[in-house]
Amino acid sequence: MLRKFILLSFLLVTVFRTETAFCQQKPSYKQAEILWDTWGVPHIYAKNDESLFYAYGWAQAKNHGNLILQLYGQARGKGAEYWGEKYAQADRWVITNSIHERAAEWYGLQKPAMRKNLDAFAQGVNDYAKENPNKISADAKMALPITATDVIAHAQRVTHFVFLAPQSQVAAVERMQGDKNGSNAWAVGPSKSANGNTLLLTNPHLPWTDLYLYVEAQLVSPGVNTYGISRMGFPVLTMAFNATAGYSQTVNTNDGQDFYELTPVDGGYKWDGKVKAFETKEQLLKIKQTDGTLKEEKMVIRHSVHGPVVSVKGDKLIAMRVAGLGQSGIFEQYWDMARAKDLTEFEAAVSRLQIPMYTLMFADNKGNIFNLFNAEVPVRPLGDWKYWSGVVKGDTSATLWTKTHPYKDLPKVRNPTTGWLQNTNEPPWTATIPMVNNYKDFPSYIAPVPNMSFRTQRSVRMLMSAGKLSLDEFIQLKLSTRMELADRIAGDLIAAAEANASPEAKEAAAVLAKWDHNTDNDSKGAFLFDRFVRKWVGGTEKLNSLGTASKLFSTPWDLNDPVNTPKGIADPKAAVAALVEAAKDVKATYGRLDVPWGEVFRFRIGDVDLPGNGGPGPMGVFRTMTLGAPTDGKYVPAHGDTYVAAIEFSKPLKAKVLTSYGNASQPDSKHNNDQLPLLSEKKMRPVWFTREEAEQHLAEKTVFK
């Protein structure tokens, strides 16, 4: 214990001296310029990588300064100290999991070039704030200055402790209603492409706020020309393409967070028939009060052999073990993935497994398409995926895993004969149909057995049914708002309602009979069906349980017919009762049953308020939009399509994109809602990939002198 403390103290002192020396030296990063296009996208041209990272930090601070400083402060475990009680629960999670301390260790483990790049990024953020004090809020300034360790801590918090190993009771912003965090991704090979070029779709679905936002940018330095998005506050692109290759990522089913129930006894906890002492440390959480004073809360953090104790309820203790905490090269790997020119270079980067989760989808201009279930998967001594999804016994070494699977063990598909690959957050087995990987050939704990959501089925159906796709046709498929669930049950529902004696049922049936099963701006019947489904499943909170395995269907899901089942309604009488109840609610609120979808569902940020389209993923809408809590009978997206990129790896490259909510969150920016009209009209923007194109659409230039 003493040796660990001395080593950690040495690392922290080393990091402090290194970063302090860096700040004192104030190296010059004056070899970059930013071409800001008319959508607020920074096209950064630099003569070296350090200048590129510096300019990117500066650009993120310009577009999102208040938000990224808040996130860096939270990554220190000091959100409550700076901004009050509402951040205290998130801080406890950060402190319990030693996020900032581990980030200091990771900083010391970076390769020298990447360490310089991260220092430069942090300096760019600080310099923007110093040079533009009126653009940063007084609250946000409390986190200044930031260091590379803060940037690493933020990435670790988001990746490992929000996405991979979240705390269900963490801050309210991390508990979104509706769809789970997810994404769509497609790759189409030459045999399925109209022009013989590969096609790639990037399409994350996340909440439209806080750490879930993305930053769109182009990064150019010698030997580098990448375009894409970063997670908010990250110094590298996390989904990207270049002139010859690109990739997207989706949240996958990797279980990298395991919980162990401990048996407490005097002196510690039971372990292999003996008593083992906890490793204990004390931390101080400071919480700002409304009068400006600080309340201090002592946290006693206990560690078992598994990891920190994260839940204490009477005599029941739960410890958590998280995969991937020994891999410090997440930024280096993302940087190399974005620069990879072909599949060989991409696999060389991803095989390092420095990113602990996400399904990766790849395409290059050599005709390759590739899908990888990327994950730090523990080599578990027993049990299947379902077993490890619960709480396991923590009093025996028989359940303790100590290593993870190598790259060769992970499910992957290269260049399938179908000519297409897809993922919509489901297990890796249905990357293409017919399935290439047999789940029985892999450890039973690596992923759930095959299952498909309605969104997955919609994705597969569109790709299977399509002929050879042009880029425009590829985009039109992506923008489809058709509801797969309606195709499965609307016929049975209408027939049952028409046969019912209730006039409300017959009126509702007439509206649904005219509906085309889309959730477009002017779709009449979509909202009534949406309200019916929520009644049918037992409430909005149960919407995510509406999987293809649900017993609500008369024909269950069949692995031998995975795209066309389930279907039909098992209990038509109960379904009609739910429809009548929904119809009464809709008529009472809106005065009619055929209210257009876009009249009720709005794309609204600031003073922009437009008809919305797209719908709930659990109902099988590929253009996923989760309806947030209503205001005056109107709904806005709490979650859903955040960014779309459709790329054809032709010569020259062709690509279109859209960042739904705009590329800025600063309150005085015109780019915090300027893309909503395109979203409402189901349009996308052309990518201005060459310098000439960026200059033709130049709104502003920043030159560092």
Side-chain angles (χ1 to χ4, degrees), residues 547-607:
T548 50
S550 172
K551 294 181 180 180
L552 291 169
F553 303 100
S554 56
T555 301
W557 186 69
D558 184 351
L559 181 59
N560 296 313
D561 188 13
V563 182
N564 300 307
T565 55
K567 58 187 176 182
I569 295 175
D571 187 345
K573 183 177 179 180
V576 171
L579 177 62
V580 169
E581 188 178 351
K584 290 178 179 178
D585 288 350
V586 171
K587 182 168 281 191
T589 304
Y590 303 100
R592 64 190 197 278
L593 296 185
D594 63 348
V595 56
W597 182 257
E599 184 176 316
V600 177
F601 179 52
R602 310 293 294 179
F603 292 148
R604 180 190 294 164
I605 298 176
D607 59 356

Side-chain angles (χ1 to χ4, degrees), residues 253-551:
T253 57
N254 179 36
D255 176 17
Q257 174 191 37
D258 287 331
F259 294 103
Y260 294 83
E261 183 172 351
L262 307 179
T263 303
V265 293
D266 289 341
Y269 60 99
K270 289 184 179 180
W271 180 250
D272 283 344
K274 299 179 181 180
V275 176
K276 190 170 183 63
F278 288 104
E279 292 187 12
T280 304
K281 63 179 179 180
E282 293 185 359
Q283 297 279 13
L284 199 62
L285 171 65
K286 297 180 180 180
I287 305 173
K288 187 176 183 178
Q289 305 298 292
T290 54
D291 62 2
T293 61
L294 292 176
K295 181 180 75 173
E296 294 185 345
E297 175 185 310
K298 184 172 74 172
M299 294 179 60
V300 179
I301 301 165
R302 290 177 287 179
H303 280 251
S304 69
V305 295
H306 315 90
V309 173
V310 295
S311 177
V312 179
K313 293 183 178 178
D315 291 335
K316 186 175 182 179
L317 305 183
I318 303 294
M320 183 178 73
R321 192 166 184 80
V322 177
L325 297 182
Q327 279 65 41
S328 59
I330 183 171
F331 291 147
E332 187 90 34
Q333 182 171 315
Y334 269 131
W335 179 236
D336 289 345
M337 288 162 61
R339 297 185 298 166
K341 295 180 174 59
D342 55 29
L343 180 55
T344 299
E345 291 187 7
F346 186 74
E347 285 204 76
V350 299
S351 63
R352 302 201 297 262
L353 297 181
Q354 298 296 297
I355 301 168
M357 62 178 295
Y358 305 120
T359 291
L360 301 177
M361 194 73 68
F362 174 87
D364 67 23
N365 70 355
K366 294 181 179 179
N368 295 304
I369 59 174
F370 175 63
N371 174 279
L372 170 68
F373 182 78
N374 173 75
E376 285 283 341
V377 180
V379 178
R380 296 184 168 107
L382 52 86
D384 58 12
W385 193 88
K386 186 175 182 180
Y387 173 86
W388 286 96
S389 296
V391 179
V392 302
K393 291 181 63 176
D395 59 1
T396 170
S397 56
T399 59
L400 180 67
W401 52 264
T402 58
K403 59 182 180 179
T404 56
H405 281 274
Y407 180 73
K408 66 181 180 62
D409 292 353
L410 302 178
K412 54 184 78 71
V413 182
R414 300 180 185 89
N415 300 323
T417 57
T418 59
W420 57 268
L421 292 164
Q422 70 83 41
N423 186 263
T424 56
N425 312 116
E426 77 280 10
W429 322 120
T430 51
T432 197
I433 302 288
M435 301 179 200
V436 172
N437 289 315
N438 187 334
Y439 72 98
K440 295 179 181 179
D441 294 335
F442 295 83
S444 60
Y445 55 72
I446 205 166
V449 297
N451 65 81
M452 300 176 76
S453 69
F454 286 108
R455 177 163 56 95
T456 302
Q457 291 185 325
R458 184 69 194 147
S459 173
V460 169
R461 185 181 305 283
M462 289 192 290
L463 289 170
M464 288 181 70
S465 303
K468 294 194 173 187
L469 292 164
S470 67
L471 179 60
D472 286 343
E473 291 167 334
F474 188 68
I475 291 171
Q476 288 309 305
L477 287 184
K478 157 52 212 152
L479 297 178
S480 169
T481 67
R482 192 171 184 89
M483 190 179 285
E484 186 75 15
L485 177 62
D487 290 344
R488 305 298 178 82
I489 67 170
D492 280 9
L493 179 63
I494 292 168
E498 288 176 337
N500 191 279
S502 163
E504 291 92 349
K506 293 181 183 297
E507 183 183 5
V511 171
L512 293 179
K514 295 178 181 178
W515 175 44
D516 62 4
H517 298 181
N518 290 321
T519 50
D520 288 325
N521 301 8
D522 57 356
S523 294
K524 296 180 179 180
F527 187 69
L528 174 61
F529 187 83
D530 174 277
R531 296 298 101 178
F532 151 72
V533 171
R534 295 169 196 269
K535 300 283 188 183
W536 186 48
V537 302
T540 295
E541 67 280 359
K542 294 184 179 180
L543 193 57
N544 277 317
S545 66
L546 181 64
T548 50
S550 172
K551 294 181 180 180

